Every structure is written in C-alpha cells, then in structure tokens.
Amino acid sequence: LATCAMAEPLALFYRAPELLLVMPAMSIGFVVRSFRSIPMALLQKELRFKLFAAFEAIDATVLGVVMVLFAVAGFGYWTLVLGNLLGGLLGTVLLLSQRRHRIAWPRFRRIGPALSFSWQVVVSRFTWYWYSNADTVVAGRFLGKGPLGLYTFGYTLASLPVEKITALV
C-alpha cells in the first residue's frame, strides 16, 4: 500500500509518468515474496543450502531466458517489471514446494521481545538501503531516465556475477 501511495509523488519527482503504473505492479512482488520468508529461513535453519542454491540457479536461469524473450518481443521497461514479478513468483513456488509452513496470526504477547529487538534491525536495514541507493536517486533526478537506465544497467552488469556466484557458493 505504501508503494502504491508513493507512485504519484515519485512519478512527479523523477518526471516519469510511467511510474504511476509500474509502482503498483511492482508492489505485487512484495506480497508474493512475503510468502517465502518463513520457508527460506526454515531451509537455512535446517542447513539445506544445496537445495536453496539449486533454487537460486533455476530462478536465475529461467528468469534470464524469459527476460531476454520479453525484451526481444518489445516489452520495453515492462520487461523488468514482469521479470521481477515472475522471479518472485517462481522463487516462492519453488520454496513452498519443498518447505511449507502454516501461516498464523501473530500473538503480540509472544513476539514482543522479538519486536523490541527487530525495530533496530529494520532501522539499520532501511538506512543501509538509502545509503547504498542514494547515487541512484541523485542520478535519476538530475540526469533523467535514459542515463539512469544506463548507470543502473552498468552497475547491475558489474555486480550480478559476484552476487549470483556468492549466493550459489
């Protein structure tokens, strides 16, 4: 809901009316990916890293092929949006196929200690996110969509091999 609410202000900030539709579409990925948090944590807790790495490899391979096909078919920037949604859906389905967990409403009495600790983790991750993406915000606002796309593509291309290889290792 927050992402949808931010669509119009961000579209105005970046002077990109496309964000009015892209932001709500991308927010679907947040919901889909939320269903994999517990199964992923449980697989890690059970030390099933080989299975987890296999899922990462399958996800990266399928997503790479599908996104190239979308781009060749002329989907433009929707290639990235649909790729993100497909990657979230595929990863979630793979994880849930091997490690299901019952979903229950939280009892705040029982999770109180975890919440009192986790707010610090959330603030830490939020500030790290803004610190690590400040360059993208500045480039997008002052350089425009085209140069931001080139900058982001170059950065992703440079960091993707290391990111994917370390995830598999």
Side-chain angles (χ1 to χ4, degrees):
L1 292 175
T3 304
C4 292
M6 292 299 298
E8 188 171 355
L10 285 174
L12 293 172
F13 178 78
Y14 286 116
R15 298 181 197 107
E18 302 88 7
L19 288 177
L20 290 172
L21 294 176
V22 169
M23 295 290 290
M26 293 289 286
S27 67
I28 295 169
F30 291 134
V31 175
V32 171
R33 289 176 193 268
S34 70
F35 287 102
R36 73 159 104 179
S37 298
I38 293 174
M40 188 178 346
L42 291 173
L43 283 177
Q44 290 173 348
K45 180 181 176 186
E46 296 164 358
L47 304 177
R48 296 175 68 187
F49 298 117
K50 187 181 279 189
L51 180 65
F52 190 69
F55 288 166
E56 287 286 320
I58 291 168
D59 191 32
T61 303
V62 170
L63 195 56
V65 170
V66 169
M67 287 182 70
V68 167
L69 293 175
F70 283 163
V72 169
F75 280 75
Y77 61 87
W78 283 102
T79 297
L80 300 174
V81 174
L82 294 173
N84 185 0
L85 293 175
L86 181 64
L89 181 63
L90 179 60
T92 301
V93 167
L94 286 172
L95 283 166
L96 288 174
S97 71
Q98 293 299 309
R99 189 61 172 96
R100 293 186 183 167
H101 187 72
R102 188 175 62 85
I103 298 175
W105 289 103
R107 293 193 176 102
F108 291 104
R109 224 175 326 131
R110 293 183 67 198
I111 63 171
L115 288 176
S116 67
F117 167 75
S118 66
W119 75 266
Q120 297 168 352
V121 174
V122 169
V123 169
S124 171
R125 288 189 178 184
F126 185 74
T127 54
W128 175 254
Y129 177 82
W130 280 106
Y131 168 76
S132 61
N133 288 295
D135 57 339
T136 306
V137 173
V138 172
R141 177 66 172 108
F142 294 108
L143 299 178
K145 294 180 282 191
L148 175 62
L150 291 173
Y151 175 78
T152 305
F153 180 74
Y155 184 84
T156 302
L157 195 60
S159 63
L160 193 62
V162 173
E163 181 183 316
K164 292 301 178 184
I165 290 171
T166 56
L168 287 173
V169 171

